[in-house]
Amino acid sequence: MRNAENTSGRYILTLPLKTELYQEHILEKRFRLGEQLYNKFLNFEKKKYFEMTKRKDYRNAQSLIKDYTYQIKSLNNASDISKETKKMIQDFKKQRKEQYDIIYNIKKMFNWSEFGFGMDMKKYRGYYKKNLNSQICNNLAVRCFRAFEKMEEEFIKDQYRSDEDKVNPCVHYKRKDTLKSLCGSQNTTGIRFILDDEMKAGLVKWQGLEFSIDLAKCTLYEWKALQSEICYCAVKREKIKGKWKYYIQLTLKGHVPDKFNKQTGELKRQLGKGNVGLYFTSTSLTVSTEDGVKTYPLEIKNHEDKKTELLQKMDTSRRATNPDNYNEDGTSKEKSEINGWHFSKAYKKYRAELYEIFRKECEEKKLLQEILANEVIASGDVFNCNKMDFKFLQRNLGKKIQTASPSMLKSVIERKLSYHGVSINEISYSKLNPVLEEKNISKKNLEDMATLISRFQLNI
């Protein structure tokens, strides 16, 4: 059974489902239909988005917002800011707000909002109502809207990046077996969880399917969590050793229950006392506390040799079963010339082995980060860290960032600190650089950087 995680006054408890073969077939069908529905709906909204953004007034408003933002930044960075300069800044901000209002009105005209996506979903969900109820369909519409929101945020950031650093974001369709969860919006209809306190058992109901959960062996933490009010439920799936395993995710109201040490009875994961400096790099975390400085490597043991061997076997098998899809020189033909791909049983076996390696690496990384986060929060109660653009690093240092995942570790630490009402103070390099020059500290010196960050408030 899995641990719970908190999300602004709510947390998630994940429990495994006992499924029979016929139930697994029905669940696979529902997830496949969820992928089809999401892709059809995304295609519809993409057409509407391009219709909206190709309007002349929309593009003019965007370019003016960019110009006004550049002018405001240049005026703010001036050494001497006079009253006239402040007045100009205020005028530019007003003019920029007018352009934002123009974009807002255009979006309103196209019904471009979370509620509007829910209304558009009504046209599609009727065909799927026997397998996917309205709440699940609306949740897929919300996911689609969130994808467009992220894309728009990256578009705005791209405007101020150089040509080499641009990300060129886009929304993506769901490929086969990539939809990992189907979620409702309340515990009264659709996916429901019913708790029987006397029998210590749980029952999950979902449109003709019933799954029993034996809670006799659950931990004290999980039993306390189940006493909280359930907001909504989701069915999640993971592929383990080539077979789908299904789970019920309960989103519960309130705060995460405390965990106690079985031997001593003391609370686990309590905050320490003192200032803590966290210095993140692409491959390590250096922690400075009152007891000393320690550097933790974040990279896990990867299995590149095994991965390469499996990829070579997959390529050999794919070429043997699809000879018509390759040119004489061994290169793949154009998409328009390929009729389809056929995969042998051996290919599927190698692909499952490769997926299992990636899954184990991911689980090992999560476990390492959870343990490291527990050590960090026990070392103090005031936390400072350097501000980093992890997405930018991911573009330039893809594999290093993928194996280390410093951004993921930071989010884990922030989540655990939020249980205690504490947050991390981010310090930008614009504030750090003058101090580094003054004290002649190199950014490559991890221990000095972490110590400086832990005591940074003394230098303000």
Side-chain angles (χ1 to χ4, degrees):
M1 295 185 181
R2 304 296 179 86
N3 290 336
E5 54 190 41
N6 184 284
T7 310
S8 64
R10 297 183 181 185
Y11 62 100
I12 296 171
L13 181 69
T14 307
L15 303 171
L17 291 176
K18 290 182 180 179
T19 56
E20 296 182 20
L21 185 61
Y22 82 95
Q23 292 175 329
E24 291 176 4
H25 291 164
I26 295 171
L27 287 171
E28 283 181 19
K29 178 185 176 182
R30 290 182 180 180
F31 274 92
R32 186 173 67 252
L33 291 174
E35 290 169 354
Q36 291 177 7
L37 175 59
Y38 181 88
N39 291 337
K40 285 182 180 179
F41 186 71
L42 182 67
N43 188 50
F44 170 77
E45 295 297 341
K46 274 181 77 174
K47 290 176 181 177
K48 193 164 78 169
Y49 178 77
F50 291 130
E51 284 277 331
M52 179 178 70
T53 53
K54 75 180 183 181
R55 289 170 60 97
K56 191 175 181 180
D57 49 355
Y58 187 95
R59 286 186 279 111
N60 288 340
Q62 276 194 325
S63 62
L64 286 171
I65 287 169
K66 181 181 175 181
D67 294 339
Y68 291 142
T69 303
Y70 270 126
Q71 290 173 353
I72 291 166
K73 280 186 177 180
S74 62
L75 291 172
N76 280 326
N77 292 332
S79 56
D80 296 327
I81 301 177
S82 60
K83 289 184 179 179
E84 294 179 357
T85 306
K86 288 181 180 178
K87 189 179 178 183
M88 287 175 66
I89 291 171
Q90 292 298 324
D91 291 339
F92 283 136
K93 284 183 178 179
K94 285 180 182 178
Q95 292 173 356
R96 186 174 65 175
K97 187 179 180 304
E98 289 175 2
Q99 302 305 317
Y100 276 124
D101 291 338
I102 290 171
I103 290 178
Y104 172 77
N105 291 328
I106 294 171
K107 286 186 175 182
K108 197 174 180 182
M109 188 192 308
F110 279 84
N111 208 15
W112 192 265
S113 64
E114 190 174 311
F115 177 77
F117 273 51
M119 296 297 289
D120 291 339
M121 179 57 80
K122 288 183 178 179
K123 305 171 187 175
Y124 290 87
R125 70 188 188 200
Y127 178 75
Y128 301 90
K129 64 182 179 181
K130 289 183 180 179
N131 292 282
L132 305 174
N133 67 321
S134 59
Q135 291 183 0
I136 294 172
C137 295
N138 288 338
N139 181 266
L140 291 173
V142 171
R143 291 190 206 181
C144 188
F145 180 71
R146 295 279 182 270
F148 278 103
E149 273 191 332
K150 286 182 181 179
M151 183 185 72
E152 287 183 322
E153 287 174 7
E154 288 299 321
F155 266 135
I156 293 168
K157 291 178 183 178
D158 261 5
Q159 291 179 351
Y160 309 104
R161 290 171 177 157
S162 61
D163 293 337
E164 295 178 355
D165 299 334
K166 284 187 177 180
V167 180
N168 298 321
C170 62
V171 289
H172 299 281
Y173 293 100
K174 293 285 183 188
R175 291 181 297 172
K176 187 181 177 182
D177 295 339
T178 55
L179 183 65
K180 295 299 176 68
S181 66
L182 291 171
C183 182
S185 58
Q186 55 188 4
N187 196 37
T188 54
T189 58
I191 306 171
R192 290 171 291 159
F193 177 81
I194 302 164
L195 178 65
D196 189 344
D197 291 332
E198 295 180 359
M199 301 295 293
K200 282 201 171 183
L203 184 68
V204 178
K205 293 185 176 182
W206 181 21
Q207 287 182 263
L209 292 179
E210 289 189 1
F211 309 95
S212 61
I213 300 175
D214 185 12
L215 302 174
K217 295 181 181 179
C218 73
T219 62
L220 177 63
Y221 167 79
E222 289 163 345
W223 186 253
K224 280 186 176 180
L226 288 171
Q227 306 309 310
S228 303
E229 184 183 348
I230 299 172
C231 301
Y232 54 87
C233 306
V235 173
K236 181 186 174 185
R237 64 174 180 172
E238 286 184 10
K239 187 168 274 189
I240 300 173
K241 294 182 178 179
K243 188 178 179 182
W244 288 112
K245 302 290 183 182
Y246 295 91
Y247 304 87
I248 181 73
Q249 277 191 335
L250 307 177
T251 302
L252 305 161
K253 282 186 180 179
H255 298 284
V256 179
D258 294 323
K259 289 185 177 181
F260 296 90
N261 192 322
K262 291 181 180 179
Q263 297 176 350
T264 62
E266 295 179 353
L267 277 172
K268 285 184 177 181
R269 301 175 184 84
Q270 296 186 71
L271 285 178
K273 289 185 179 180
N275 288 1
V276 180
L278 307 175
Y279 182 55
F280 288 94
T281 65
S282 59
T283 57
S284 66
L285 169 65
T286 305
V287 182
S288 173
T289 63
E290 294 179 356
D291 298 331
V293 184
K294 192 172 181 181
T295 300
Y296 299 92
L298 301 181
E299 288 183 302
I300 60 169
K301 181 185 176 183
N302 54 19
H303 306 82
E304 290 300 324
D305 294 340
K306 183 65 176 174
K307 289 180 194 174
T308 305
E309 182 186 346
L310 287 171
L311 287 169
Q312 288 174 350
K313 287 180 179 180
M314 288 168 63
D315 184 60
T316 304
S317 175
R318 187 170 57 245
R319 288 175 182 275
T321 52
N322 302 277
D324 296 335
N325 293 344
Y326 293 91
N327 297 316
E328 292 180 359
D329 58 355
T331 58
S332 177
K333 290 183 178 179
E334 297 291 335
K335 277 188 178 181
S336 57
E337 300 176 7
I338 295 175
N339 296 324
W341 294 92
H342 303 283
F343 303 116
S344 63
K345 289 183 179 180
Y347 179 91
K348 292 177 181 177
K349 179 187 173 183
Y350 301 143
R351 185 173 60 184
E353 288 179 18
L354 183 65
Y355 184 89
E356 186 65 14
I357 290 172
F358 281 114
R359 188 192 67 81
K360 285 182 178 179
E361 286 182 352
C362 185
E363 290 294 329
E364 184 184 347
K365 183 164 55 178
K366 282 181 182 178
L367 181 61
L368 172 69
Q369 293 186 349
E370 291 285 339
I371 294 170
L372 180 53
N374 290 335
E375 290 184 24
V376 169
I377 66 172
S379 57
D381 56 355
V382 179
F383 296 84
N384 298 335
C385 79
N386 57 319
K387 189 174 182 180
M388 292 186 71
D389 188 355
F390 291 109
K391 286 189 177 179
F392 174 73
L393 288 174
Q394 189 176 7
R395 181 175 171 78
N396 294 330
L397 305 169
K399 275 201 172 181
K400 278 189 177 181
I401 292 289
Q402 185 181 2
T403 54
S405 299
S407 176
M408 183 178 167
L409 173 60
K410 186 184 173 187
S411 63
V412 172
I413 296 171
E414 287 176 337
R415 169 170 59 81
K416 288 181 178 289
L417 288 175
S418 68
Y419 302 158
H420 304 278
V422 179
S423 59
I424 299 177
N425 305 314
E426 288 189 339
I427 303 170
S428 62
Y429 279 104
S430 60
K431 294 179 180 179
L432 282 172
N433 286 335
V435 184
L436 295 176
E437 291 177 3
E438 181 185 341
K439 296 191 175 184
N440 195 21
I441 297 174
S442 171
K443 292 178 184 177
K444 293 182 180 180
N445 194 329
L446 305 180
E447 294 184 358
D448 289 349
M449 286 295 297
T451 305
L452 174 66
I453 290 168
S454 67
R455 301 172 183 173
F456 189 76
Q457 289 182 345
L458 303 174
N459 299 315
I460 293 175

